[in-house]
Amino acid sequence: MNYKNEIVCKNCGTKNFDFEYICKNCKAFLRNRIVNIDLGETLLRLIDSPSETFLKIKFSEHKNYIFFLLFFISIRFLILSRFFSVPFVFEPIKLNLPLLVIISFLITLIFFVIISLSIQKILLLLKVKARFRDILAVMTYSFLPNLFALFILFPIEMVFYGEYLFSNNPYPFQIKESIFYFLLSLETLCVLWSVFLFYVGIKEFTYSRIFSLIFSIIVWIVITLTLYWQSKIFLI
């Protein structure tokens, strides 16, 4: 079977997969070796050169900070699921916060693993062979805008609304309406930015804009449904 992501060694003509940097036949270098992911550089480069940055993430030998990032993404997901529950919270379930964080992290980890494995299987149908860890890394780094929302927007929201941030009596927009809609716009932009980055990252595997767009839409629908399901179970 011929795969779309095969490259030909210029030295001996042997076909290799694009994620390999040394020819399996003659051991000649196929591309520059990328050992580690630089988190600071990646954060900056995702803004101006997301496609090039995801290639580096895809080809890096060590997928640095994956579990570190997934932990904070899980906290962000926990907060979002709490927002989902706001209209329905009247007698909230009492669960301690550390336990909620641990459970949310496990749900997030399982979710990312399942989605990455699913994408890997779908890519095979598209005649693209990809490594699971490459897909997981690209997917995880596409969620970096959510960390901006977690560390920048969420503290600002807490300053303005405090205990009423997750309240439905009154709702936050009933307290400071203009600030609420401004912060909501920024939250929405962070989500859209993540959707765009996920699309760009997956495109480095599929080599197709259409399939990448379909993947992005489906994954984010599944994320939304998962957060809604999580909100029903872990109301705090």
Side-chain angles (χ1 to χ4, degrees), residues 78-96:
L78 181 61
I79 293 171
L80 288 176
S81 66
R82 184 62 181 86
F83 279 122
F84 270 95
S85 70
V86 166
F88 311 103
V89 174
F90 297 100
E91 295 181 2
I93 299 172
K94 300 297 182 181
L95 291 174
N96 63 67

Side-chain angles (χ1 to χ4, degrees), residues 117-166:
L117 286 172
S118 300
I119 292 175
Q120 185 183 36
K121 298 299 182 183
I122 294 171
L123 287 174
L124 281 176
L125 297 177
L126 298 176
K127 296 184 178 181
V128 176
K129 186 170 183 179
R131 297 180 298 188
F132 162 77
R133 62 194 185 98
D134 294 342
I135 299 171
L136 178 62
V138 167
M139 183 176 175
T140 301
Y141 273 87
S142 73
F143 280 77
L144 284 181
N146 286 276
L147 300 190
F148 169 80
L150 175 64
F151 291 112
I152 305 297
L153 294 183
F154 183 65
I156 294 174
E157 292 163 355
M158 289 298 296
V159 168
F160 280 106
Y161 298 105
E163 62 181 297
Y164 296 107
L165 180 61
F166 301 111

Side-chain angles (χ1 to χ4, degrees), residues 1-223:
M1 178 184 292
N2 293 322
Y3 290 92
K4 294 179 182 178
N5 62 323
E6 286 180 320
I7 56 177
V8 177
C9 175
K10 295 180 180 179
N11 186 52
C12 67
T14 302
K15 289 184 178 180
N16 297 269
F17 291 111
D18 60 351
F19 51 77
E20 296 169 326
Y21 70 93
I22 294 179
C23 177
K24 59 187 176 185
N25 181 49
C26 68
K27 307 304 178 185
F29 279 88
L30 302 171
R31 57 173 174 80
N32 292 331
R33 183 184 182 189
I34 303 173
V35 180
N36 295 309
I37 299 173
D38 187 311
L39 183 58
E41 179 187 0
T42 300
L43 287 170
L44 295 175
R45 298 293 289 172
L46 279 176
I47 298 174
D48 62 346
S49 302
S51 182
E52 179 183 332
T53 303
F54 279 122
L55 272 179
K56 289 185 177 181
I57 294 171
K58 174 183 175 181
F59 292 147
S60 64
E61 295 178 40
H62 303 130
K63 310 301 182 182
N64 313 51
Y65 313 110
I66 295 297
F67 288 102
F68 173 80
L69 293 174
L70 284 176
F71 173 74
F72 287 109
I73 290 171
S74 71
I75 295 177
R76 166 68 172 167
F77 281 176
L78 181 61
I79 293 171
L80 288 176
S81 66
R82 184 62 181 86
F83 279 122
F84 270 95
S85 70
V86 166
F88 311 103
V89 174
F90 297 100
E91 295 181 2
I93 299 172
K94 300 297 182 181
L95 291 174
N96 63 67
L97 186 58
L99 178 60
L100 284 173
V101 170
I102 292 172
I103 295 175
S104 182
F105 173 69
L106 292 176
I107 292 174
T108 302
L109 181 61
I110 293 170
F111 174 83
F112 272 66
V113 168
I114 291 174
I115 294 297
S116 298
L117 286 172
S118 300
I119 292 175
Q120 185 183 36
K121 298 299 182 183
I122 294 171
L123 287 174
L124 281 176
L125 297 177
L126 298 176
K127 296 184 178 181
V128 176
K129 186 170 183 179
R131 297 180 298 188
F132 162 77
R133 62 194 185 98
D134 294 342
I135 299 171
L136 178 62
V138 167
M139 183 176 175
T140 301
Y141 273 87
S142 73
F143 280 77
L144 284 181
N146 286 276
L147 300 190
F148 169 80
L150 175 64
F151 291 112
I152 305 297
L153 294 183
F154 183 65
I156 294 174
E157 292 163 355
M158 289 298 296
V159 168
F160 280 106
Y161 298 105
E163 62 181 297
Y164 296 107
L165 180 61
F166 301 111
S167 169
N168 59 16
N169 187 27
Y171 285 102
F173 67 83
Q174 294 174 314
I175 302 173
K176 297 181 185 293
E177 185 174 357
S178 59
I179 294 174
F180 172 82
Y181 287 112
F182 174 72
L183 292 173
L184 180 61
S185 298
L186 293 179
E187 290 271 6
T188 303
L189 286 174
C190 286
V191 172
L192 292 177
W193 186 13
S194 279
V195 174
F196 171 73
L197 288 181
F198 185 83
Y199 159 77
V200 174
I202 292 300
K203 188 157 62 71
E204 297 304 325
F205 294 99
T206 64
Y207 305 99
S208 168
R209 293 181 179 180
I210 295 176
F211 283 117
S212 300
L213 181 61
I214 293 173
F215 282 155
S216 302
I217 293 173
I218 291 175
V219 167
W220 273 92
I221 289 175
V222 174
I223 289 173

